[in-house]
Amino acid sequence: WNKISDNTKKLVENLQTENTLYLSRLITLIESTRDDHQEQARMVVSYLLQRSKENNTQYKSFRIGISGPPGAGKSTFIEAFGKHLTSLNHKVAVLAIDPSSVRSGGSVLGDKTRMVELSVDPNAYVRPSSTRGSLGGICKSTSDTIVLCESAGFDVVLVETVGVGQSEVSIDEMIDIFVLLVPPANGDELQGLKKGIMESADLIVVNKADGELLPKARFTVSEYMSALKLQRPKSENWKATVISCSSLSKEGIDNVWNMMMKYKDTMLKCGEFKYKRSLQKETFMKKLIDDEIVQKLWADPNVQRLLPSLEAQVREGNISPSLASINIINEFLKDKKD
Ligand code: GDP
């Protein structure tokens, strides 16, 4: 705490006030690429983690990952679901990871037409996805952003991702429950379903179960049910299941929340909830080390000097890739060995 600057301290002290401006400022600090900002951000997050541990509030929150193909109705669902939660007196934060926006320069949640009602709800906080920085950078900061939102009093954190499967960083590593939102589909469309995504789902929600789509939605539920039966369960304490809802008519939205609560209760009781979170933190630490070391290595002047000639020799076949790689690594470690 002593190492945190007075300006940043002020933000932390005001974090729990109604005004989410302080939260936004702190998130910006976390997302900043400036070294001094990152140092402050690290200190703040560590302080907040300690504080929630001391207050015994660290497992009060629920981190929900929501993913699904474009057009499944994710933003419509999050709007309806978020409103349902705030009506139950929960405070809801919505974050987004959009791997595609890094390339296209667009932003999922930045689009103002999305989640209009939730955005103005005093008990909700909708954070547009950051378009700056690398994919790794965005996902790296998301984990810390979740801690900030929780410290600001948001007890439900929704993390939306698009384009799962393409991203090497899995949101499964920072959330408590992974929800796959899918539209009603016929047999052929279901064939194309990515197996990997289904395997990571704790709950599958078939959206758009309304009007003319209702029979198709029912069919989709039973198809997913049978598909789930064929795969190995992700956890021995929880069987993934499939339910349907309509984000337009709001039918079944309460059911989705009840099912999620059932999941949380079950996982808390058997200890897997806490275990998963501690494992996530450990894994994340290791990933950050990997990331940092690799960046430092490529940026190292000695490495940069040696690299072009070694690359040429590898291409020409004068030296094996494995020997060249060891030379590079030794070059990087050269003046660091003592
Ligand atoms: P996203 O790309 O997954 O975020 O999908 P959107 O939320 O933008 O929704 C895509 C389209 O599906 C929009 O035209 C929505 O109005 C429509 N949609 C979303 N939820 C429902 C629903 O529950 N029922 C019906 N009939 N349409 C829906």
Side-chain angles (χ1 to χ4, degrees), residues 69-76 114 160 207-208 210 213 246-248:
K74 290 181 295 300
S75 51
T76 316
R114 299 179 99 232
E160 180 197 3
N207 188 33
K208 309 192 187 183
D210 50 45
L213 288 168
S246 164
S247 304
L248 282 191

Side-chain angles (χ1 to χ4, degrees), residues 110-273:
D111 185 348
K112 286 227 172 65
T113 58
R114 299 179 99 232
M115 300 171 214
V116 263
E117 271 185 70
L118 202 59
S119 311
V120 295
D121 189 322
N123 286 316
Y125 176 74
V126 181
R127 174 80 183 178
S129 71
S130 161
T131 51
R132 274 180 302 129
S134 65
L135 165 61
I138 291 170
C139 298
K140 220 156 70 180
S141 64
T142 303
S143 192
D144 286 342
T145 303
I146 292 175
V147 174
L148 278 186
C149 290
E150 289 169 357
S151 301
F154 293 94
D155 61 329
V156 182
V157 182
L158 302 175
V159 185
E160 180 197 3
T161 43
V162 289
V164 267
Q166 297 144 17
S167 149
E168 67 268 30
V169 195
S170 150
I171 53 157
D172 214 20
E173 285 164 13
M174 44 186 128
I175 42 110
D176 304 315
I177 182 171
F178 184 72
V179 180
L180 181 63
L181 193 83
V182 292
N186 58 39
D188 285 350
E189 290 161 334
L190 285 165
Q191 291 296 319
L193 188 85
K194 283 213 188 88
K195 214 174 146 235
I197 299 176
M198 248 189 84
E199 274 165 5
S200 52
D202 300 299
L203 176 64
I204 296 176
V205 177
V206 179
N207 188 33
K208 309 192 187 183
D210 50 45
E212 284 178 353
L213 288 168
L214 200 53
K216 205 170 166 185
R218 287 205 184 106
F219 167 78
T220 309
V221 169
S222 64
E223 286 291 298
Y224 276 100
M225 277 291 203
S226 352
L228 278 180
K229 282 198 189 107
L230 296 175
Q231 74 183 32
R232 211 165 54 93
K234 193 176 150 193
S235 153
E236 56 187 38
N237 300 305
W238 176 260
K239 255 201 195 106
T241 187
V242 192
I243 49 177
S244 63
C245 75
S246 164
S247 304
L248 282 191
S249 76
K250 321 273 193 289
E251 182 113 5
I253 292 284
D254 51 348
N255 222 353
V256 175
W257 174 239
N258 292 342
M259 191 55 88
M260 289 180 186
M261 287 302 285
K262 195 174 153 197
Y263 172 89
K264 191 183 178 189
D265 279 350
T266 309
M267 293 310 231
L268 267 175
K269 281 202 186 93
C270 68
E272 196 173 326
F273 194 87

